PDB file of all heavy atoms in Angstrom:
ATOM      1  N   HIS A  51       6.736 -11.582   5.523  1.00 85.00           N
ATOM      2  CA  HIS A  51       6.036 -10.560   4.838  1.00 85.00           C
ATOM      3  C   HIS A  51       6.869  -9.434   4.225  1.00 85.00           C
ATOM      4  O   HIS A  51       6.432  -8.724   3.380  1.00 85.00           O
ATOM      5  CB  HIS A  51       4.912  -9.897   5.774  1.00 85.00           C
ATOM      6  CG  HIS A  51       3.834 -10.815   5.898  1.00 85.00           C
ATOM      7  ND1 HIS A  51       2.815 -10.938   4.909  1.00 85.00           N
ATOM      8  CD2 HIS A  51       3.352 -11.638   6.928  1.00 85.00           C
ATOM      9  CE1 HIS A  51       1.911 -11.782   5.266  1.00 85.00           C
ATOM     10  NE2 HIS A  51       2.191 -12.240   6.427  1.00 85.00           N
ATOM     11  N   CYS A  87       3.461  -6.192  15.272  1.00 92.00           N
ATOM     12  CA  CYS A  87       2.482  -6.544  14.200  1.00 92.00           C
ATOM     13  C   CYS A  87       1.158  -6.873  14.755  1.00 92.00           C
ATOM     14  O   CYS A  87       0.059  -6.419  14.457  1.00 92.00           O
ATOM     15  CB  CYS A  87       2.819  -7.466  13.229  1.00 92.00           C
ATOM     16  SG  CYS A  87       4.554  -7.387  12.641  1.00 92.00           S
ATOM     17  N   CYS A  90      -1.740  -4.470  16.247  1.00 91.00           N
ATOM     18  CA  CYS A  90      -2.916  -4.129  15.278  1.00 91.00           C
ATOM     19  C   CYS A  90      -3.583  -5.259  14.758  1.00 91.00           C
ATOM     20  O   CYS A  90      -4.768  -5.340  14.687  1.00 91.00           O
ATOM     21  CB  CYS A  90      -2.317  -3.253  14.120  1.00 91.00           C
ATOM     22  SG  CYS A  90      -1.890  -1.621  14.662  1.00 91.00           S
ATOM     23  N   HIS A  91      -2.788  -6.321  14.358  1.00 89.00           N
ATOM     24  CA  HIS A  91      -3.437  -7.509  13.747  1.00 89.00           C
ATOM     25  C   HIS A  91      -3.819  -8.391  14.925  1.00 89.00           C
ATOM     26  O   HIS A  91      -3.181  -9.444  15.137  1.00 89.00           O
ATOM     27  CB  HIS A  91      -2.442  -8.204  12.795  1.00 89.00           C
ATOM     28  CG  HIS A  91      -2.187  -7.332  11.541  1.00 89.00           C
ATOM     29  ND1 HIS A  91      -3.113  -7.245  10.504  1.00 89.00           N
ATOM     30  CD2 HIS A  91      -1.114  -6.583  11.163  1.00 89.00           C
ATOM     31  CE1 HIS A  91      -2.720  -6.443   9.627  1.00 89.00           C
ATOM     32  NE2 HIS A  91      -1.504  -5.977   9.920  1.00 89.00           N
ATOM     33  N   ARG A 101      -7.106  -7.782   6.176  1.00 74.00           N
ATOM     34  CA  ARG A 101      -7.312  -8.506   4.819  1.00 74.00           C
ATOM     35  C   ARG A 101      -6.253  -8.057   3.902  1.00 74.00           C
ATOM     36  O   ARG A 101      -5.663  -6.982   4.011  1.00 74.00           O
ATOM     37  CB  ARG A 101      -8.738  -8.066   4.414  1.00 74.00           C
ATOM     38  CG  ARG A 101      -9.051  -7.279   3.209  1.00 74.00           C
ATOM     39  CD  ARG A 101     -10.372  -6.723   3.270  1.00 74.00           C
ATOM     40  NE  ARG A 101     -10.168  -5.455   4.086  1.00 74.00           N
ATOM     41  CZ  ARG A 101     -11.128  -4.413   4.118  1.00 74.00           C
ATOM     42  NH1 ARG A 101     -12.393  -4.699   3.692  1.00 74.00           N
ATOM     43  NH2 ARG A 101     -10.965  -3.371   4.802  1.00 74.00           N
ATOM     44  N   SER A 102      -6.022  -8.888   2.911  1.00 72.00           N
ATOM     45  CA  SER A 102      -4.974  -8.698   1.898  1.00 72.00           C
ATOM     46  C   SER A 102      -5.506  -8.075   0.766  1.00 72.00           C
ATOM     47  O   SER A 102      -6.622  -8.270   0.366  1.00 72.00           O
ATOM     48  CB  SER A 102      -4.305 -10.025   1.679  1.00 72.00           C
ATOM     49  OG  SER A 102      -3.836 -10.162   0.460  1.00 72.00           O
ATOM     50  N   SER A 103      -4.650  -7.382  -0.035  1.00 68.00           N
ATOM     51  CA  SER A 103      -5.053  -6.893  -1.355  1.00 68.00           C
ATOM     52  C   SER A 103      -5.166  -7.965  -2.461  1.00 68.00           C
ATOM     53  O   SER A 103      -5.604  -7.764  -3.393  1.00 68.00           O
ATOM     54  CB  SER A 103      -4.096  -5.758  -1.877  1.00 68.00           C
ATOM     55  OG  SER A 103      -3.817  -4.814  -0.930  1.00 68.00           O
ATOM     56  N   THR A 111     -11.427  -8.039   9.177  1.00 66.00           N
ATOM     57  CA  THR A 111     -10.673  -6.859   8.667  1.00 66.00           C
ATOM     58  C   THR A 111      -9.984  -6.167   9.890  1.00 66.00           C
ATOM     59  O   THR A 111     -10.372  -6.338  11.007  1.00 66.00           O
ATOM     60  CB  THR A 111     -11.644  -5.878   8.000  1.00 66.00           C
ATOM     61  OG1 THR A 111     -12.668  -5.447   8.882  1.00 66.00           O
ATOM     62  CG2 THR A 111     -12.230  -6.558   6.779  1.00 66.00           C
ATOM     63  N   GLN A 112      -9.147  -5.239   9.582  1.00 72.00           N
ATOM     64  CA  GLN A 112      -8.436  -4.527  10.596  1.00 72.00           C
ATOM     65  C   GLN A 112      -8.433  -3.141   9.945  1.00 72.00           C
ATOM     66  O   GLN A 112      -8.048  -2.921   8.843  1.00 72.00           O
ATOM     67  CB  GLN A 112      -7.170  -4.967  10.854  1.00 72.00           C
ATOM     68  CG  GLN A 112      -6.339  -4.146  11.888  1.00 72.00           C
ATOM     69  CD  GLN A 112      -7.126  -3.941  13.125  1.00 72.00           C
ATOM     70  OE1 GLN A 112      -7.795  -2.980  13.372  1.00 72.00           O
ATOM     71  NE2 GLN A 112      -6.909  -4.749  14.203  1.00 72.00           N
ATOM     72  N   ARG A 308      -2.723  -1.889  -1.531  1.00 94.00           N
ATOM     73  CA  ARG A 308      -3.062  -0.810  -0.689  1.00 94.00           C
ATOM     74  C   ARG A 308      -1.996  -0.341   0.343  1.00 94.00           C
ATOM     75  O   ARG A 308      -1.265  -1.155   0.774  1.00 94.00           O
ATOM     76  CB  ARG A 308      -4.302  -1.241   0.151  1.00 94.00           C
ATOM     77  CG  ARG A 308      -5.056  -0.056   0.604  1.00 94.00           C
ATOM     78  CD  ARG A 308      -6.531  -0.562   0.819  1.00 94.00           C
ATOM     79  NE  ARG A 308      -6.683  -1.867   1.261  1.00 94.00           N
ATOM     80  CZ  ARG A 308      -6.995  -2.207   2.553  1.00 94.00           C
ATOM     81  NH1 ARG A 308      -7.214  -1.243   3.436  1.00 94.00           N
ATOM     82  NH2 ARG A 308      -7.068  -3.418   2.936  1.00 94.00           N
ATOM     83  N   GLU A 310      -0.996   0.447   3.700  1.00 93.00           N
ATOM     84  CA  GLU A 310      -1.581   0.312   5.078  1.00 93.00           C
ATOM     85  C   GLU A 310      -0.625   0.624   6.225  1.00 93.00           C
ATOM     86  O   GLU A 310      -1.094   0.867   7.287  1.00 93.00           O
ATOM     87  CB  GLU A 310      -2.097  -1.096   5.186  1.00 93.00           C
ATOM     88  CG  GLU A 310      -3.345  -1.381   4.252  1.00 93.00           C
ATOM     89  CD  GLU A 310      -3.154  -2.702   3.510  1.00 93.00           C
ATOM     90  OE1 GLU A 310      -1.942  -3.183   3.391  1.00 93.00           O
ATOM     91  OE2 GLU A 310      -4.129  -3.143   3.011  1.00 93.00           O
ATOM     92  N   HIS A 311       0.614   0.552   5.924  1.00 94.00           N
ATOM     93  CA  HIS A 311       1.708   0.756   6.900  1.00 94.00           C
ATOM     94  C   HIS A 311       2.423   2.103   6.681  1.00 94.00           C
ATOM     95  O   HIS A 311       2.010   2.841   5.869  1.00 94.00           O
ATOM     96  CB  HIS A 311       2.560  -0.466   6.995  1.00 94.00           C
ATOM     97  CG  HIS A 311       1.715  -1.665   7.173  1.00 94.00           C
ATOM     98  ND1 HIS A 311       1.539  -2.615   6.193  1.00 94.00           N
ATOM     99  CD2 HIS A 311       1.150  -2.221   8.314  1.00 94.00           C
ATOM    100  CE1 HIS A 311       0.778  -3.596   6.564  1.00 94.00           C
ATOM    101  NE2 HIS A 311       0.492  -3.359   7.953  1.00 94.00           N
TER     102      HIS A 311
HETATM  103  C1  HEC B   2      -0.708   0.524  13.224  1.00 91.46           C
HETATM  104  C2  HEC B   2      -1.345  -0.745  12.923  1.00 91.46           C
HETATM  105  C3  HEC B   2      -0.574  -1.770  12.208  1.00 91.46           C
HETATM  106  C4  HEC B   2       0.523  -2.402  12.373  1.00 91.46           C
HETATM  107  C5  HEC B   2       1.530  -2.017  13.577  1.00 91.46           C
HETATM  108  C6  HEC B   2       0.760  -3.446  11.381  1.00 91.46           C
HETATM  109  N1  HEC B   2      -0.246  -3.472  10.586  1.00 91.46           N
HETATM  110 FE1  HEC B   2      -0.437  -4.721   8.890  1.00 91.46          FE
HETATM  111  N2  HEC B   2      -2.248  -3.722   8.330  1.00 91.46           N
HETATM  112  C7  HEC B   2      -2.769  -2.783   9.178  1.00 91.46           C
HETATM  113  C8  HEC B   2      -4.091  -2.383   8.510  1.00 91.46           C
HETATM  114  C9  HEC B   2      -5.078  -1.331   8.983  1.00 91.46           C
HETATM  115  C10 HEC B   2      -4.139  -3.309   7.368  1.00 91.46           C
HETATM  116  C11 HEC B   2      -5.369  -3.208   6.369  1.00 91.46           C
HETATM  117  C12 HEC B   2      -6.153  -4.439   6.844  1.00 91.46           C
HETATM  118  C13 HEC B   2      -7.628  -4.549   6.285  1.00 91.46           C
HETATM  119  O1  HEC B   2      -8.017  -3.756   5.518  1.00 91.46           O
HETATM  120  O2  HEC B   2      -8.411  -5.405   6.790  1.00 91.46           O
HETATM  121  C14 HEC B   2      -3.024  -4.042   7.310  1.00 91.46           C
HETATM  122  C15 HEC B   2      -2.773  -4.946   6.337  1.00 91.46           C
HETATM  123  C16 HEC B   2      -1.617  -5.933   6.425  1.00 91.46           C
HETATM  124  C17 HEC B   2      -1.435  -6.931   5.412  1.00 91.46           C
HETATM  125  C18 HEC B   2      -2.279  -7.177   4.089  1.00 91.46           C
HETATM  126  C19 HEC B   2      -1.618  -6.376   3.044  1.00 91.46           C
HETATM  127  C20 HEC B   2      -2.153  -6.331   1.697  1.00 91.46           C
HETATM  128  O3  HEC B   2      -2.658  -5.322   1.241  1.00 91.46           O
HETATM  129  O4  HEC B   2      -2.115  -7.285   1.029  1.00 91.46           O
HETATM  130  C21 HEC B   2      -0.323  -7.653   5.798  1.00 91.46           C
HETATM  131  C22 HEC B   2       0.278  -8.815   5.130  1.00 91.46           C
HETATM  132  C23 HEC B   2       0.102  -6.987   7.006  1.00 91.46           C
HETATM  133  N3  HEC B   2      -0.675  -6.072   7.302  1.00 91.46           N
HETATM  134  C24 HEC B   2       1.217  -7.412   7.807  1.00 91.46           C
HETATM  135  C25 HEC B   2       1.792  -6.708   8.811  1.00 91.46           C
HETATM  136  C26 HEC B   2       3.004  -7.073   9.405  1.00 91.46           C
HETATM  137  C27 HEC B   2       3.968  -8.214   9.040  1.00 91.46           C
HETATM  138  C28 HEC B   2       3.340  -6.140  10.495  1.00 91.46           C
HETATM  139  C29 HEC B   2       4.460  -6.052  11.438  1.00 91.46           C
HETATM  140  C30 HEC B   2       5.744  -5.861  10.748  1.00 91.46           C
HETATM  141  C31 HEC B   2       2.136  -5.235  10.510  1.00 91.46           C
HETATM  142  N4  HEC B   2       1.275  -5.629   9.413  1.00 91.46           N
HETATM  143  C32 HEC B   2       1.920  -4.198  11.355  1.00 91.46           C
HETATM  144  C33 HEC B   2      -2.333  -2.203  10.316  1.00 91.46           C
HETATM  145  C34 HEC B   2      -1.139  -2.429  10.997  1.00 91.46           C
END
Side-chain angles (χ1 to χ4, degrees):
H51 283 287
C87 315
C90 289
H91 293 283
R101 114 202 88 170
S102 146
S103 303
T111 61
Q112 177 52 270
R308 198 151 42 101
E310 291 128 345
H311 306 100

